[in-house]
Amino acid sequence: MLTETHPDAHCELDHASPLQLAVATVLSAQTTDVRVNEITPKLFARYPTAADYAAADRTEMEELIKPTGFFRAKTDSLIKLGQALVERHRGEVPGRLDDLVKLPGIGRKTANVVLGNAFGVPGLTVDTHFSRLVQRWRWTAETDPAKIEFAIAALIEKRDWTMLSHRVIFHGRRVCHARKPACGACTLRRDCPSYGLGPTDPALAATLLKGPRIAELAAAAGAPV
Ligand code: SF4
C-alpha cells in the first residue's frame, strides 16, 4: 500500500553526480530539500570537483550556502570533505559504505543516501521521518538510527531498501506528521497499530495532508478533499 500511495517517491535532492549528492546531503541537515535545491545550482557551478571544495575560500562558500542554516559548520564540513576526497580517493566519492562513513561530515544516513541514489547500491536512510514511522508501525522498538537500520534491514529484502526509504520518508512528510498525523486520511490506517494518534475524522485529517498530491492522497484513503 505504501508503494501505491507514493508512486512519485524519489530522492528530493537535485544532483547529477555522487559528489553533488554528497554535498547536497551534507547541506540538508536541519533544513528542507527545497531550500537546498534553491542554492545548489550556483554552488555546483562554482565548485565542480572535490579539489574545488578543498581549495574553497571559506567566506565565499559561507555566503553561498547561508540560506541552508548552520553555514559555518557546513562550510567546514564541505572543505574537509573535499580535502579528504582528494587525499584519500583521488577526488572521487567512494562507492562503499565503509569508506564513505570515514569521510568528514558523512554519517551512515548520508552514506546510505549516496549509495542508494548515486551508486545504485541498496541503502536504508534512517532520518527523523523513517525512525518515527517504523516505530509507529511497530517494525522496531529501537531508537538509535544505526540499530533501526539493522532491524529494518533484517525485515526487508535488500533490493527494496532504497525505494522503501523514499516511500517511508514521503509518507512521513506528507501524511504521518510528527505532531498531527493525518490518520483519518491515511491509506495505511487499517493496518497501522498507531491509528488514532492523529485525527480520525477523514475530512479533518485531509486538511493535514501536505505536498503536491493532496487530492490523490485523500482520494486513495477515501477521504474528502
Ligand atoms: S494511521 Fe496514523 S499513525 Fe498510522 S501511518 Fe497513518 S497517519 Fe501514521
Side-chain angles (χ1 to χ4, degrees):
M1 187 46 93
L2 198 57
T3 305
E4 290 82 17
T5 304
H6 303 289
D8 55 335
H10 64 283
C11 175
E12 295 194 279
L13 290 168
D14 295 339
H15 66 280
S17 69
L19 177 64
Q20 289 187 358
L21 183 55
V23 167
T25 311
V26 168
L27 292 177
S28 71
Q30 310 290 329
T31 189
T32 63
D33 291 354
V34 173
R35 180 58 58 90
V36 173
N37 291 339
E38 281 167 7
I39 66 115
T40 45
K42 229 174 166 181
L43 188 76
F44 294 160
R46 179 70 185 86
Y47 307 102
T49 69
D52 295 313
Y53 286 95
D57 176 82
R58 190 172 291 270
T59 313
E60 186 187 354
M61 188 183 282
E62 283 180 359
E63 202 53 43
L64 272 174
I65 69 172
K66 208 168 191 172
T68 70
F70 300 96
F71 59 95
R72 290 203 177 88
K74 288 178 182 176
T75 295
D76 201 49
S77 289
L78 293 183
I79 292 174
K80 285 184 178 152
L81 175 63
Q83 289 168 346
L85 289 174
V86 169
E87 284 162 18
R88 295 183 225 156
H89 300 285
R90 298 179 186 174
E92 299 293 328
V93 175
R96 281 169 22 113
L97 184 74
D98 288 353
D99 293 329
L100 281 166
V101 293
K102 289 188 187 116
L103 291 166
I106 309 273
R108 284 191 75 90
K109 187 185 85 175
T110 303
N112 277 318
V113 169
V114 173
L115 283 179
N117 299 287
F119 288 103
V121 177
L124 285 168
T125 306
V126 183
D127 72 350
T128 173
H129 299 293
F130 193 97
S131 303
R132 181 176 74 252
L133 269 65
V134 295
Q135 284 164 4
R136 283 179 178 174
W137 297 338
R138 312 271 194 270
W139 286 10
T140 178
E142 301 287 359
T143 52
D144 172 73
K147 287 185 181 164
I148 292 174
E149 185 190 324
F150 298 140
I152 306 306
L155 294 177
I156 304 292
E157 283 210 50
K158 189 170 182 177
R159 62 161 188 253
D160 296 329
W161 288 357
T162 305
M163 281 314 295
L164 175 83
S165 303
H166 292 318
R167 290 176 187 128
V168 172
I169 291 168
F170 262 53
H171 204 67
R173 285 178 174 160
R174 297 177 173 191
V175 184
C176 191
H177 314 299
R179 293 222 177 89
K180 266 196 180 178
C183 291
C186 175
T187 52
L188 311 182
R189 65 188 182 283
R190 285 188 190 87
D191 299 315
C192 178
S194 296
Y195 172 71
L197 211 56
T200 54
D201 175 69
L204 176 58
T207 66
L208 300 171
L209 296 170
K210 288 186 185 160
R213 294 183 63 254
I214 288 174
E216 290 97 324
L217 290 173
V225 183

